[in-house]
Amino acid sequence: MPIAVEFQNVSRHFGSVRAVDDVSVAIEEGAFFAMLGPSGSGKTTCLRLTSGFERPSAGHVRIFGEDCEGVPPNRRPVNTVFQDYALFPHLSVRDNVAYGLMVRGLDKTERYARADEMLELVKLPGYGSRKPAALSGGQRQRVALARALVTKPRVLLLDEPLGALDLKLREAMQDELKLLQGSLGITFIFVTHDQGEALSMADRVAVFNQGRIVQVGTPQDIYERPRTRFVADFVGSANVLSPAQSRAAGGPEKWVSLRPEAIMLTPAPQARVSGTVTGIRYLGAMNRVSVALGEAMLVATVPSGAALPPVGAETGLTWDTRSVHEMDGE
Amino acid sequence: MRSDRAPLGLRIAAFAGLAFLHAPILLIFVYAFTTEDRTYQWPPPGLTLDWFAVTWNRPDVWSALGLSVRVAALSTALALVLGTLCAAAVSRARFFGRETVSLLVILPIALPGIITGIALRSAFSLGDIPFSTLTIVLGHATFCMVVVYNNAVARFRRLSGSMIEASADLGANGFQTLRHIVMPNIASALLAGGMLAFALSFDEVIVTTFTAGQQQTLPIWMLEELVRPRQRPVTNVVAMVVVIVTFLPILGAYYLTRGGSETAGGGK
């Protein structure tokens, strides 16, 4: 697969703030790539470096092998779905979608035909003559998507595309985006702070922290084999044990992570460690049990229906050593 | 408990306030129809429409009116260009001294007209610039620019920044973005600002007296007529015209900028 977007030692500084700090990553054509991280971690700046709204302070951004230095946003083969959608309020939905074709000089008949086709694709047929103000949040999102896709960009950038939608709509859109990406075969790069979204939609995920990429990999890599404490913490709620705590539990003297679903409650004799149950939260299919071990706190998820000790009781905990994952203490 | 009707005392006070504000203006209108042309005698001894014909045939009225319209149009045009560019810079870019520039642009309207007038007059004489239509236009542009700027800056703030980026992202160059995205969204604000600027310029006296030399704009002409009574009601007829010419744009500007919130935010 050719490389669609490549960052080579890219930095972007705002004054003394290193928004993006020496990032190198290659995104293959046709990938669904997620940039995941807390706010201010540099993921959005990376997106803007790709779209051309920011220029790197150092390093090179290449799109299909071509260095983008000095290429303005309107000449890049990438389009963006903005976080606030940025629909043009004075134009009808059809004119919004056809905008990219209009500025390229296509005549009205053809651009409207293609805009209507796109509206069909995003399941908004017949909405062409409305104004954006008359649409719901989810519908606006689809219009923004149609508008960005109508010019057939080779890369689509999505900035927190689902952030403004409510939970149910978000889940539906996740599935749709995934299907759309598969059928169009365009490279999707999307920015999110929602780890669930990143893991479920992307085929590759880059985890950002403080302007750097901490780990790039498949969702499985990121979730099961976090490279650092930060990744383990941020991606799902892994239990993190310090070297001392790990050794006390019979493990290596290193920072380790342990997924809640890998921990089992067990009577004291077979237990690796034992502690006091401090809380139980019912999550539908699971119960989430918090157990205090001196200073440390471990969280285990137990399938609903299994017997649970009451809050305040002593319980033993055990796990398979293969599910203990060593990592950097960063 | 709330009653729909205000207490009687309050209503009387409100009507008194309105009368205080507007009765003198009505008086001016009434005297435009009086049959007596030397002193303003109350009540008017008789009513006539003759003064409209007399006014129509006075060349000095026409030349003053012509100059006023020319000055107002030119200074509005100048203010539209400068005020909009200024507003765009202040609201779209971040640069050193941005707040100061914003304050300095608004300052001329806070500054007493007499200061602006004296300053401009000294500047013109220092630069050996003879009085002409252009000097009046420059004087008026100082405060016309402020109203255009204020209107434009408010609209620019509501124009979501990502809309302009979205336009560029979709392949539009700067000119296309200006024409298809920026202009449609700020047009009504510019029209409102322009109308206000025109009205301000049309009835301006103080700055004009310092920058006009021997030329007479309509308000200056009226001032002179009051000192030198000859066919006095002609002044009243002209005053009526000035009220109408300045009031209509202000009313228009009010309706244009009122509740235009549907152009805000870009789909939020």
Side-chain angles (χ1 to χ4, degrees):
Chain A
M1 273 289 182
I3 301 301
V5 175
E6 185 187 6
F7 278 52
Q8 188 192 338
N9 303 106
V10 174
S11 294
R12 177 68 175 101
H13 301 164
F14 298 104
S16 63
V17 181
R18 289 157 178 255
V20 172
D21 191 7
D22 196 24
V23 162
S24 295
V25 67
I27 300 168
E28 287 181 350
E29 186 170 13
F32 200 131
F33 191 90
M35 292 181 171
L36 173 68
S39 58
S41 59
K43 56 194 194 308
T44 297
T45 310
C46 279
L47 206 69
R48 293 173 63 80
L49 284 162
T50 313
S51 56
F53 294 115
E54 297 288 350
R55 294 175 64 175
S57 311
H60 300 278
V61 176
R62 295 197 186 90
I63 299 178
F64 293 100
E66 275 178 51
D67 197 322
C68 293
E69 183 56 36
V71 181
N74 54 327
R75 301 237 184 83
R76 296 191 183 200
V78 302
N79 281 352
T80 308
V81 175
F82 289 83
Q83 188 171 9
D84 63 355
Y85 314 143
L87 299 180
F88 307 129
H90 60 293
L91 298 180
S92 69
V93 166
R94 183 178 290 117
D95 279 320
N96 262 283
V97 176
Y99 188 81
L101 302 172
M102 192 258 294
V103 298
R104 280 170 178 74
L106 263 74
D107 68 63
K108 211 171 201 158
T109 339
E110 178 165 8
R111 63 176 196 254
Y112 278 3
R114 279 174 62 181
D116 285 344
E117 219 170 90
M118 262 307 148
L119 284 171
E120 196 113 2
L121 186 72
V122 298
K123 297 182 183 153
L124 283 178
Y127 281 79
S129 53
R130 301 205 190 177
K131 283 283 172 75
L135 301 183
S136 71
Q139 290 169 335
R140 284 178 201 171
Q141 222 261 326
R142 288 156 192 269
V143 175
L145 198 59
R147 186 180 67 175
L149 287 171
V150 78
T151 56
K152 304 198 164 84
R154 298 181 74 183
V155 178
L156 186 72
L157 308 176
L158 303 111
D159 187 4
E160 302 265 3
L162 309 175
L165 305 180
D166 60 54
L167 184 66
K168 218 172 163 110
L169 209 52
R170 198 154 66 214
E171 284 171 353
M173 275 312 283
Q174 285 179 7
D175 294 341
E176 271 185 50
L177 275 179
K178 187 77 186 151
L179 278 173
L180 199 62
Q181 194 264 340
S183 65
L184 295 171
I186 297 176
T187 312
F188 275 34
I189 303 177
F190 87 108
V191 153
T192 180
H193 63 265
D194 181 331
Q195 35 86 15
E197 206 167 281
L199 296 183
S200 68
M201 289 168 76
D203 28 63
R204 301 235 308 152
V205 179
V207 183
F208 279 74
N209 188 31
Q210 297 181 338
R212 288 168 170 270
I213 291 183
V214 193
Q215 187 172 3
V216 187
T218 64
Q220 290 78 8
D221 286 338
I222 303 282
Y223 188 76
E224 288 162 20
R225 293 174 290 281
R227 201 177 67 73
T228 70
R229 254 173 85 194
F230 173 80
V231 177
D233 246 359
F234 191 75
V235 181
S237 38
N239 293 295
V240 173
L241 294 181
S242 69
Q245 289 162 344
S246 169
R247 198 184 47 178
E253 192 168 355
K254 293 228 166 100
W255 285 95
V256 298
S257 76
L258 195 55
R259 292 284 153 195
E261 60 274 19
I263 302 180
M264 287 157 286
L265 303 190
T266 181
Q270 294 108 14
R272 290 177 173 278
V273 292
S274 60
T276 315
V277 178
T278 55
I280 296 173
R281 272 206 291 151
Y282 176 65
L283 301 175
M286 305 274 196
N287 279 299
R288 202 179 144 82
V289 183
S290 312
V291 179
L293 313 157
E295 303 229 321
M297 175 74 79
L298 284 183
V299 175
T301 46
V302 179
S304 294
L308 289 175
V311 173
E314 284 282 313
T315 183
L317 298 174
T318 189
W319 54 81
D320 188 335
T321 43
R322 280 173 301 179
S323 51
V324 173
H325 172 75
E326 293 177 20
M327 55 192 182
D328 286 358
E330 284 168 37
Chain B
M1 279 262 302
R2 271 181 58 128
S3 109
D4 284 343
R5 294 177 73 89
L8 184 66
L10 193 59
R11 274 190 289 152
I12 291 173
F15 279 116
L18 283 175
F20 175 73
L21 283 174
H22 296 292
I25 296 173
L26 286 178
L27 265 184
I28 286 188
F29 285 14
V30 170
Y31 279 126
F33 300 94
T34 182
T35 49
E36 184 267 347
D37 78 334
R38 298 208 176 273
T39 57
Y40 285 135
Q41 180 188 335
W42 186 261
L47 297 175
T48 173
L49 288 173
D50 289 352
W51 297 116
F52 286 84
V54 173
T55 310
W56 186 268
N57 292 317
R58 285 263 300 258
D60 54 334
V61 173
W62 284 108
S63 75
L65 179 69
L67 180 64
S68 271
V69 170
R70 238 182 5 260
V71 165
L74 285 173
S75 43
T76 300
L78 190 62
L80 277 174
V81 174
L82 295 179
T84 309
L85 291 178
C86 226
V90 166
S91 53
R92 301 233 58 88
R94 300 272 170 279
F95 54 88
F96 176 75
R98 194 170 66 99
E99 297 302 318
T100 317
V101 169
S102 171
L103 181 71
L104 285 177
V105 173
I106 304 175
L107 198 60
I109 215 158
L111 219 57
I114 197 154
I115 307 283
T116 312
I118 291 173
L120 282 168
R121 186 180 195 122
S122 343
F124 290 148
S125 69
L126 267 178
D128 263 336
I129 301 167
F131 293 119
S132 65
T133 309
L134 186 69
T135 53
I136 312 179
V137 167
L138 286 179
H140 286 196
T142 56
F143 53 80
C144 286
M145 202 179 124
V146 181
V147 293
V148 172
Y149 170 86
N150 277 340
N151 272 278
V153 97
R155 189 62 63 89
F156 271 121
R157 289 216 175 101
R158 294 209 317 236
L159 186 72
S160 122
S162 58
M163 258 163 59
I164 288 164
E165 291 191 346
S167 172
D169 190 68
L170 292 164
N173 59 32
F175 176 73
Q176 287 172 318
T177 302
L178 181 73
R179 177 166 159 225
H180 298 297
I181 304 303
V182 178
M183 282 317 285
N185 278 293
I186 64 166
S188 64
L190 292 193
L191 192 57
M195 283 171 151
L196 283 174
F198 190 93
L200 271 182
S201 163
F202 196 78
D203 67 2
E204 214 284 335
V205 174
I206 303 173
V207 175
T208 317
T209 53
F210 287 94
T211 53
Q214 295 306 306
Q215 312 165 87
Q216 279 191 334
T217 61
L218 208 55
I220 302 274
W221 173 88
M222 287 166 71
L223 210 57
E224 309 252 310
E225 284 303 292
L226 285 179
V227 184
R228 184 157 49 84
R230 176 173 64 110
Q231 298 181 318
R232 280 192 121 166
V234 168
T235 321
N236 292 66
V237 171
V238 173
M240 263 179 75
V241 173
V242 172
V243 168
I244 291 164
V245 169
T246 55
F247 183 68
L248 289 182
I250 289 175
L251 202 66
Y254 170 74
Y255 279 108
L256 277 176
T257 47
R258 191 184 55 156
S261 55
E262 72 274 10
T263 55
K268 281 224 166 158

